[in-house]
Amino acid sequence: MDINNLAQPCAALNEGARTEALARQGMLTKPPGALGMLESVAVALAAMQGSARPEVARVQISIFAADHGVADEGVSAFPQEVTGEMVKNFALGGAAISVLAKTLAARLEVVNLGVVNDPGEWPDVMRAVIAPMTANFAAEPAMTRIQLASAIRAGSESVLRAKQAGIQLFIGGDMGIANTTSASALACALLQESAQLLAGPGTGLDRAGVAHKAWVIERSLELHGLFPRPAGSEIEGEGALEILRCVGGFEIAALMGAYITAAQQGIPSLVDGFISSVAALFAVRINPQVRDWLLFAHMSAEPGHQRVLAALDAQPLLQLGMRLGEGSGAAVAVPLLRMACALHNGMATFEEAAVSEKI
Amino acid sequence: MDINNLAQPCAALNEGARTEALARQGMLTKPPGALGMLESVAVALAAMQGSARPEVARVQISIFAADHGVADEGVSAFPQEVTGEMVKNFALGGAAISVLAKTLAARLEVVNLGVVNDPGEWPDVMRAVIAPMTANFAAEPAMTRIQLASAIRAGSESVLRAKQAGIQLFIGGDMGIANTTSASALACALLQESAQLLAGPGTGLDRAGVAHKAWVIERSLELHGLFPRPAGSEIEGEGALEILRCVGGFEIAALMGAYITAAQQGIPSLVDGFISSVAALFAVRINPQVRDWLLFAHMSAEPGHQRVLAALDAQPLLQLGMRLGEGSGAAVAVPLLRMACALHNGMATFEEAAVSEKI
C-alpha cells in the first residue's frame, strides 16, 4: 500500500448545500437551535451529500474480524476462539450487530481478515485472510509491510463494494479478541500518553487484569521504540503507518483504510467506539481531510475513548455506556441521523405554517 | 380532583419478569453489561410490561397545549399567539413532533386545554378548554381549585383513551408560551432552590431576558409564600397541589395527571424535557410509586433540567442539547427503547450460538 494513495485528496464538502441547509434550519417552526445536535448533524450531512435535503436510508455496516498474537499475553477476559465463533454468529443473525442491522434494514458484511478458529465460508462473510492472526507485538512487529497493506486494502475494497450499492452512510465494526490492547497501544504511541491512562477493561478484565494489560502495552511500546518519543514530535504519514504495523491489528488497519477510502469517495462514515475511533485517528493523521467525512456515534465505556475523541475534536451523539464494538454503537445512532434528516426535510417553515416568529 | 385518587396505588412491577430478563441479558452473546443503558432499559421494560420479552411497538404521544397569564410579564422570546398557531401546526403535520410521530408510527393526540389564539376544531385535536389561559401568577394564583382538577383530569383521560388503544408506552408533550417560567417557578418552590439557579433562556431569551424572568419568578414565589419555606419542610401531597395551583399551568397539571394515571394503569411513561420532568416530579411527590413507571428520555439544554432530573434520581438516555418540548426529546429516544428490546429479544445466547464464555 502506497502512502501516496492514502494521502490522495478527499472529496470536497458542498458548502452551498451547507449554507442552504443552515438557512432552512432557521426557518423551521421551532426556536433556532432547539433541536440541538440533530440540527448540526442534518447540516453536516447536507454538506457531505451535496444536498440541502440529506438522507441516510441506505446504510452499510462492514465488520472486520481478525485475531491478535498479543492475546498470548493473557490480556483478554475471553478466549481467542471467540473471534471465529462470533464471525459465524454475525452470519447467522445472533449477534448484537446482526439484530441492529436487521432493525435498520442496513447491509451487513463481515470481512474475515484472519481468525485462529476459522469458521470457513458463510453467507455475507468475505474472505480476505492475511494470516491466522497478527504476530505477538509484545515480542515482534504485529505485521509485515505487505500484511499491513493487505489489511488496509481490504477495508478500502469493502467501501468500494458498498459504493456500488449506492450507500449513503458507512459504518465500520470490529471483532477481535485482544483488540483493545492493540488499540490502546496505538493510541499511546500516537498521542504519547501512558498505558496506565489509556488501557481499560475491554470485554471485562478486573483491576489486576487491566494492570497487567497496561504493563504488556508499556513493554511493547518500549520494545518498538514508540514511547516515549522526543517531546513535540507530531506523528503523521509514514510514522503513523509504522506504528500501525508494529502494534496494530488487521481489523484496525482495515478500518483505517475504509475511512480514508470513504472520505475520498465522498461517503460519510459514522464512527463506532474505541477501536474504530483509534482507526479514525490514524486515518486523520495520515490524511487530515478525512476528518470532514466523519460523524461520531457514541462515547464508549472504555476509558481511553474519551482521549481519542478529544484528539479528534469529536462530539459523539450518544453516551450509553456501551462497550461492545462490532459497530453496535454506530448502529444504535443511525435512527438519530434518520430523524435529524426527517425533521430537516419534513418540518414546516414559519411561513408555510403561518406561525409567528421570535419577538 | 380528589387527592385520594391521585394517591391511589400504582400497578406493581413484575419482579419475576425482571429477574428472568436480567438472567437472559447475562446469557446473550456479548460481554456482560456491554450494551450499557440498553440492557437496563430492556430489563426495566420487562418488569413494567410483565414480560421477559418487552416491546414498545405501540406508542402514544399526547401533547397538552395551554396559555399562561404570566406571559404578560414579558418572559418569553415568542408572542403568545404561537401556542394556538402551533396546535394547528401539530394537526397539519408541520411541527417537529408531527414529523417524529410519523417516523415512529406513533399515535399523536393534541389536547387543547385553553389557548388565547384558539384554532378551533382540527383532526386529532381534543378540546378540553378550561379558560383562554391561566391567570397571571405574578399577581394572583394561576388557577382555581376547579381549574386545577379539570387540567389533571384531562391528562388522566388522555391516558385512559390511549389505554383503550393498547399502547405500550406513553409520551407526554407540552406546548405553551411562557411555560418554562411556570415550570421554573414550580421547581423552585418544590426543590427550594433560587430562581437564579433554575430559570433559563427557554425558547431563546438573552441574558437580560433570563434575569427579568428570574425576577418575575422570585416576586411570584414571594407573593404566594412559596419561597423560602421553613428549612427541612418536605413538600408532598396537598402542599404540592397548592404550589401547582398557584404557579403552574394547565398543561403541566395535565402531564402530572397523565403520569399518575399511566402508573396506576401499568403503562410506562417516557418523560421528555424540562416541563415534563417538572410535571413528573410533582407526580412523584404526590404519589411516590409513580417513579417506578418513569423512563427519562433526555437532558435538555434548559439549565434547570439537570436539577429536576437529579431530584428524580433519573439518568436520561440522551444529551443532544435539545430544548423544544412538544415531547420531541422523548420521541427521539423511542428508537433506543425499540433497539434495546430488539437486542434483548433477538440476540442469540452463548449456548445457542456455540460461542465460548468468559475465561
Side-chain angles (χ1 to χ4, degrees), chain B residues 41-59 166-170 266-268 295 334 336-345:
Chain B
V41 152
V43 171
L45 284 167
M48 294 182 200
Q49 297 186 346
S51 161
R53 307 290 173 108
E55 59 164 19
V56 285
R58 297 185 299 282
V59 175
I167 59 143
Q168 297 164 315
L169 183 75
F170 174 79
I267 299 168
L295 298 166
V334 167
L336 297 183
L337 303 191
R338 288 182 173 166
M339 288 191 289
C341 293
L343 289 162
H344 181 83
N345 299 333

Side-chain angles (χ1 to χ4, degrees), chain A residues 85-102:
Chain A
E85 290 165 353
M86 284 300 293
V87 168
K88 198 170 143 185
N89 197 24
F90 295 143
L92 290 175
I97 194 63
S98 321
V99 172
L100 293 170
K102 197 172 158 196

Side-chain angles (χ1 to χ4, degrees), chain B residues 95-284:
Chain B
I97 194 63
S98 321
V99 171
L100 293 170
K102 197 174 158 192
T103 302
L104 298 169
R107 291 166 48 96
L108 180 65
E109 171 181 283
V110 185
V111 182
N112 178 353
L113 297 163
V115 300
V116 170
N117 181 22
D118 196 318
E121 304 278 346
W122 288 92
D124 300 321
V125 177
M126 305 288 305
R127 292 185 66 81
V129 174
I130 298 166
M133 58 177 155
T134 52
N136 179 354
F137 66 66
E140 58 187 312
M143 298 175 239
T144 65
R145 285 188 67 86
I146 290 174
Q147 289 178 325
L148 174 63
S150 301
I152 294 171
R153 195 179 308 117
S156 176
E157 286 170 357
S158 178
V159 167
L160 295 175
R161 277 193 297 278
K163 198 192 176 186
Q164 292 290 324
I167 59 143
Q168 297 164 315
L169 183 75
F170 174 79
I171 290 174
D174 69 278
M175 179 68 223
I177 292 302
N179 69 5
T180 59
T181 300
S182 172
S184 300
L186 290 167
C188 287
L190 207 58
L191 302 177
Q192 290 293 295
E193 304 233 45
S194 77
Q196 270 78 10
L197 204 67
L198 291 182
T203 52
L205 289 176
D206 61 14
R207 203 174 202 169
V210 176
H212 173 68
K213 179 174 168 179
W215 177 80
V216 169
I217 293 170
E218 257 172 44
R219 210 183 47 168
S220 305
L221 292 170
E222 204 177 317
L223 173 73
H224 301 290
L226 297 175
F227 183 86
R229 293 212 168 202
S233 69
E234 184 83 341
I235 300 150
E236 294 169 330
E238 285 286 357
L241 282 179
E242 182 60 11
I243 293 172
L244 199 52
R245 189 181 76 80
C246 286
V247 297
F250 299 147
E251 81 281 44
I252 301 175
L255 282 165
M256 187 196 76
Y259 294 136
I260 293 175
T261 299
Q264 289 169 336
Q265 297 292 328
I267 299 168
S269 292
L270 180 61
V271 179
D272 185 33
F274 180 54
I275 312 292
S276 300
S277 297
V278 167
L281 182 59
F282 273 75
V284 169

Side-chain angles (χ1 to χ4, degrees), chain A residues 14-30:
Chain A
N14 187 325
E15 294 303 328
R18 186 202 300 279
T19 305
E20 206 181 321
L22 256 177
R24 178 167 170 79
Q25 280 291 337
M27 293 187 291
L28 300 176
T29 45
K30 60 177 176 52

Side-chain angles (χ1 to χ4, degrees), chain A residues 180-203:
Chain A
T180 60
T181 301
S182 172
S184 300
L186 289 167
C188 288
L190 206 59
L191 301 178
Q192 291 292 295
E193 303 233 45
S194 78
Q196 270 79 11
L197 204 66
L198 292 182
T203 52

